[in-house]
Amino acid sequence: MVPRTPYEIAVEQFNTAIKYLDLAPGIADVMRVPRRELTVHFPVKMDDGSIQLFTGYRVQHSQDCGPAKGGIRYHPDVTLDEVKALAMWMCWKCSVMNLPYGGGKGGVICNPKKMSQGELERLTRRFATEITPIIGPQSDIPAPDVNTNPQTMAWFMDTYSMHTGAPCFAVVTGKPVELGGSLGRTEATGRGLMIAALEALKVKGIDPHKATAAVQGYGNVGSIGAYLLQDEGVKIVALSDSQGGIYRPSGLDARDVLRFKGETGTVVGYPDTTPISNEDLLELPVDLLVPAALEKAIHEGNVARVKAQVIVEGANGPTTPEADQVLAARGALVVPDVLANGGGVTVSYFEWVQDLQSYFWTEEEVNARLRRQMLASFGEVLRIAQDRKVTMRTAAYIKAVARVAKAIELRGIYP
Ligand code: NAD
């Protein structure tokens, strides 16, 4: 059967990885399903005085290597199936990055673009209350995701703290720095991506000072990844956002494009550039391609025209399994999402450690530790890929699943 839902895809990827591992069938069965799925229905008083009912979820895929960890998204299309898949992927990401965490994810079905700040605050506080029985700094630590941000996390932290009667910063990450957030967290995913991209170029023998790059999606991950790569000598020739893309073969100033986007709302119209569609951007003759916007950007229909030798997945799931096979067959190096964008959750882990110790690090210290962690994980995944003659994605899954399986085995099956 062709997997259709996100959770079916996640299970299919897991089933592929375990072919390379000698797991007891019972252990694989445990890892294939979430440990806990909580569905909550809760009322929120809206600004017009009416009462609206919302549905939310919190899924803990695993707590075998540590507390569950993962974001909370607010979106009209949230489903339990999607949250289950995202929780499983978080488990593998935390495992690949050697973090002492399991995986989790949460979501609320709502349209935040049509809600006031007051309504969003009340929704957040009530949702936090509803899932309080299963979250906590030692059990499950939420973070921002699609349409949630540091302010959402501040409300979350405050609500949890009101219930426990004491300030508890470590219950969520991605908080404002004034409330126990970490320096360097905003840049962490882009910084980790830059480190992974430089390592991948090295593997392919491409000098960063002679490399060209195209970046799809100019949000948090894409824009910061782009200007940090530019700082390392990579020539950024094309950038895009939801409104379209820009191309300048002689190179763009990624920071100035960010300033322009801040003023105008889009990269489109940046001076002295050729307009380019998001589809065409993916097919440019560049050394490095960074899909940092959406899922399924590189698929069966366009992969034959994708020319980059190195693809570093800033977004989650930007390459379909079919496209992955085509890229592997032509020898392109794909750094998978669980590794390439793992810098974000790594600095979330640093934030949690700092909160637990009430001792805060300098930005230099955060960045240096992030670099060490990215290089170690990249090196381990590359070694598995070379030893087992598999893609970096399969290697990342082998590493991730093996670590969780070992934890389950060592802990034993309770009682
Ligand atoms: P963001 O909202 O800051 O930016 C997304 C960017 O993509 C925006 O520039 C938007 O205009 C653009 N975009 C939207 N639709 C597009 C389209 N059809 N074509 C081209 N561009 C389009 O989001 P972000 O935080 O940068 O996240 C981007 C991706 O990275 C997501 O897949 C997210 O799950 C993943 N990710 C983010 C983090 C993080 O720490 N922010 C961590 C891990 C993974």
Side-chain angles (χ1 to χ4, degrees), residues 105-119:
K105 205 79 181 190
V108 176
I109 306 169
C110 63
N111 189 347
K113 297 201 169 121
K114 292 203 172 141
M115 294 173 72
S116 70
Q117 279 294 97
E119 288 168 341

Side-chain angles (χ1 to χ4, degrees), residues 26 63 68 75 81 121 141 144 146 150 171 178 202 206 228-229 238 293 297 349:
Q63 290 171 318
H75 199 276
D81 181 280
E121 176 174 351
I141 306 140
V146 175
V171 68
E178 296 81 353
K202 206 189 288 174
I206 301 170
L228 292 176
L229 278 164
Y349 161 58

